[in-house]
Amino acid sequence: MNLMSRVAGVATAVLSMAVPAVAQHLHATGKEALGKVHFETSCKADVRDGFDRAVAMLHSFEFGSAIEGFSGVLQKDPSCAMAHWGTALSRWGNPFTGLRGPGVLAPGREAAQKAQTTGAPSAREKAYINAVAELFRDYEKTPQRERSLAYERAMEQVSAGFPADTEARIFHALSVTQNALPTDKTYANQLKATAILEPLFRQYPDHPGLAHYIIHAYDQPALATRALAAARSYAKIAPDAPHALHMPSHTFTRVGAWSDSIATNTASADAAKKLGSYAEALHAMDYQVYAYLQTAQDQAARRVLDGLPAIARQFDPSAVTGAAPGSAGLFALASIPARYALERGDWAAAASLEPRTTPFAWVDAQSRFARALGAVRSGNPDGARAEIAQLAALHEKLVAANDSYWAGQVDIQRRVAEAWVAYAGGRREDGIAQMTAVADAEDATDKAAVTPGPLAPARELLGDMLLEGGQAAGALRAYEATMAKEQNRFRAIHGAARAAAATGDRTLAAKYYLQLTEIARSSDTERPALREAKAFLEKKP
């Protein structure tokens, strides 16, 4: 039985309480619920449904299943050049992951070359094929961003040359978002993409790619609320695609809708595990744990953490399955234990985390950063310095690999740890100055799609420093700035409440303590911060 046939019914059963009408109707017909897609081709008529199904899976980033689907098309119609196009684009994978290596690029280029030499594609189809070839052209010597920009230009030409082709417009919009720079706070690319996508979504509300790509385009703190309609629709449009179950949580995380994030990621992880798509499951679990920890559901988070070894034993990072590549699964295995320690302020546990060694320096940096922060905040600055040296070495590897984004992120982690070492060593003003600068650097960029958020936001850590140093007003400003970017963060709200109380503003402190208790309504652990909040709120003014 093929991959997507096995998933049919799994995710729908999990989501049945949330979307019964949609799910039950679609499955009553005996069809997979992947949304409605039609991609016109010159291939044989009897492969039309299989081709559309493969493109639907491609739109939901179910890449392994898409490749399987395009292969099935080729078995029936070996002259279908566009099936090789679909395979090539599926080999490229999630456009929002990092640098691709030869293991991804070589088979992708092979598929693109086969597309260029197969059958007699139409002029429109040749334009698609030539566009996807740009992603792999001379990859040994041409930087990835240059190739990605060339693909965007080529897809713009396809869209302009064939204005009646809705799929061309959708793939062009995705390429525009793919090339958005995390340092561009005008969000020019994202707004350009959504100007294409949103009118089409109103016209084609059951198209999986439209909902999906709107969520990605608005996956920024300043824009996230604009994605709520798409986020609330996507899992209903394609409930048999595990990534469609996870993707709404990108928006839910940005707006601090923790119960929604938990529900959709639980469904995604369960569906992905039943398919053996373990990178996708781990990715959803990282977002799930993040949401649990914001709501003080520490026991629930711990159960997910305790289940990681069993998944790790089955996980093959080289497998091509869903939206999450193997690196995303490895990232989750590193970040989930780090989050569990850091979000709860268990500095000793953070310091004693097992360091991870993977083929990805940016993955390895997660446990090193947590160990560094945990060491310095539990009174072991020498241990922190050793981890800082490891972070510096990982940063150099990323620089050498021309991975500028992750090199910058790891350098931010190193600088955060150095600032805390300076502060803990008695150089408080230096530490605060260093932390202020690194918080500015972090605010100037943005998180990658692989993570729900930084392991510990630099601006929030600046608030911790300032509050500890008796600068309550400055701490309050830092926490409130964190809350504006990372909505409904437990630690930022708690810090803001404490800082407001320290300034003598009991009304503001009560507001934040009340907010803390509200987001933790489903808590399964009475954290000290919640006892503190309840005690404060019970006191008469």
Side-chain angles (χ1 to χ4, degrees):
M1 186 181 296
N2 66 41
L3 185 61
M4 288 310 298
S5 295
R6 294 201 308 272
V7 74
V10 170
T12 303
V14 175
L15 284 183
S16 60
M17 294 184 65
V19 289
V22 173
Q24 291 173 9
H25 169 72
L26 289 169
H27 282 275
T29 66
K31 296 179 180 179
E32 297 165 314
L34 300 170
K36 295 181 180 178
V37 174
H38 175 56
F39 193 111
E40 193 66 37
T41 74
S42 61
C43 303
K44 292 180 179 179
D46 64 351
V47 302
R48 170 178 168 165
D49 289 346
F51 194 95
D52 286 349
R53 177 176 174 273
V55 175
M57 288 186 276
L58 175 58
H59 278 307
S60 283
F61 291 1
E62 299 298 337
F63 299 115
S65 297
I67 291 169
E68 180 182 313
F70 289 122
S71 296
V73 168
L74 285 166
Q75 288 177 4
K76 292 183 177 180
D77 182 3
S79 67
C80 181
M82 287 301 286
H84 290 298
W85 162 85
T87 300
L89 196 55
S90 300
R91 290 291 184 186
W92 178 252
N94 190 327
F96 302 103
T97 56
L99 294 177
R100 275 80 167 156
V104 169
L105 296 171
R109 182 164 64 188
E110 180 182 1
Q113 290 172 341
K114 286 181 179 178
Q116 292 175 315
T117 58
T118 295
S122 67
R124 167 181 159 274
E125 291 170 336
K126 286 179 181 178
Y128 270 101
I129 291 166
N130 291 336
V132 79
E134 295 292 345
L135 292 170
F136 307 98
R137 192 181 306 282
D138 297 327
Y139 67 76
E140 296 89 346
K141 57 184 179 181
T142 304
Q144 179 168 301
R145 180 161 180 80
E146 184 176 331
R147 290 181 280 112
S148 185
L149 288 168
Y151 172 68
E152 179 189 337
R153 291 190 296 271
M155 283 310 304
E156 183 173 24
Q157 291 175 1
V158 179
S159 179
F162 302 92
D165 186 351
T166 299
E167 290 296 307
R169 295 163 69 189
I170 294 171
F171 280 115
H172 171 228
L174 177 60
S175 73
V176 172
T177 306
Q178 171 180 324
N179 288 324
L181 292 171
T183 53
D184 179 12
K185 297 307 177 181
T186 70
Y187 308 114
N189 278 44
Q190 291 91 336
L191 296 175
K192 179 180 178 180
T194 53
I196 299 169
L197 297 168
E198 288 185 320
L200 290 173
F201 189 41
R202 289 190 289 271
Q203 188 175 359
Y204 304 105
D206 295 324
H207 192 293
L210 292 168
H212 187 185
Y213 305 151
I214 287 169
I215 295 170
H216 269 298
Y218 285 144
D219 193 10
Q220 317 287 332
L223 305 177
T225 56
R226 302 186 189 190
L228 281 169
R232 290 170 179 151
S233 299
Y234 188 26
K236 299 176 184 179
I237 293 169
D240 284 340
H243 188 63
L245 305 180
H246 158 72
M247 196 63 212
S249 72
H250 281 241
T251 300
F252 298 148
T253 297
R254 293 291 197 179
V255 302
W258 302 126
S259 61
D260 291 330
S261 182
I262 290 166
T264 201
N265 280 304
T266 300
S268 176
D270 288 348
K273 282 185 280 190
K274 289 179 180 180
L275 291 172
S277 185
Y278 294 111
E280 188 71 26
L282 288 164
H283 179 58
M285 290 161 67
D286 191 15
Y287 275 72
Q288 178 187 12
V289 165
Y290 186 79
Y292 276 140
L293 291 169
Q294 303 318 310
T295 54
Q297 295 186 67
D298 298 347
Q299 293 181 43
R302 181 76 216 190
R303 287 193 291 273
V304 177
L305 177 63
D306 289 344
L308 291 181
I311 296 177
R313 286 193 292 271
Q314 302 175 77
F315 171 46
D316 177 7
S318 66
V320 178
T321 53
S327 59
L330 293 171
F331 180 89
L333 289 171
S335 62
I336 289 172
R339 291 188 202 286
Y340 185 75
L342 294 176
E343 294 284 2
R344 294 163 45 256
D346 190 343
W347 308 119
S352 62
L353 286 169
E354 183 74 22
R356 299 192 67 85
T357 301
T358 73
F360 305 98
W362 53 275
V363 170
D364 298 349
Q366 306 314 307
S367 54
R368 293 295 181 180
F369 171 68
R371 283 167 57 88
L373 194 57
V376 67
R377 299 202 69 177
S378 59
N380 181 12
D382 288 339
R385 291 188 187 96
E387 297 304 323
I388 288 169
Q390 292 291 333
L391 287 169
L394 293 169
H395 171 256
E396 289 304 314
K397 285 185 180 179
L398 290 162
V399 170
N402 293 316
D403 193 339
S404 59
Y405 174 78
W406 280 110
Q409 296 302 305
V410 172
D411 195 47
I412 286 170
Q413 292 177 324
R414 177 190 62 80
R415 291 168 62 192
V416 165
E418 286 183 338
W420 270 102
V421 169
Y423 183 89
R427 295 185 291 114
R428 290 197 163 191
E429 292 303 317
D430 285 348
I432 290 170
Q434 290 177 39
M435 186 61 75
T436 301
V438 75
D440 290 343
E442 186 170 84
D443 286 346
T445 182
D446 196 20
K447 74 172 190 68
V450 74
T451 177
L455 291 183
R459 188 73 60 185
E460 183 179 278
L461 293 171
L462 172 62
D464 291 352
M465 265 189 192
L466 292 168
L467 188 59
E468 185 178 314
Q471 300 183 45
L476 180 58
R477 288 192 295 273
Y479 290 128
E480 288 181 329
T482 303
M483 292 158 60
K485 185 178 179 183
E486 310 284 349
Q487 295 185 41
N488 283 340
R489 257 192 70 78
F490 187 99
R491 289 183 59 79
I493 297 168
H494 179 223
R498 293 176 62 220
T503 67
D505 191 338
R506 288 189 57 84
T507 300
L508 186 59
K511 171 189 171 183
Y512 287 136
Y513 276 127
L514 181 60
Q515 183 180 354
L516 195 70
T517 61
E518 287 176 346
I519 68 165
R521 284 194 305 269
S522 300
S523 65
D524 57 23
T525 305
E526 191 175 27
R527 291 184 187 173
L530 290 176
R531 290 196 295 271
E532 177 187 312
K534 292 173 184 176
F536 186 94
L537 293 169
E538 287 171 359
K539 289 181 181 178
K540 293 183 180 181

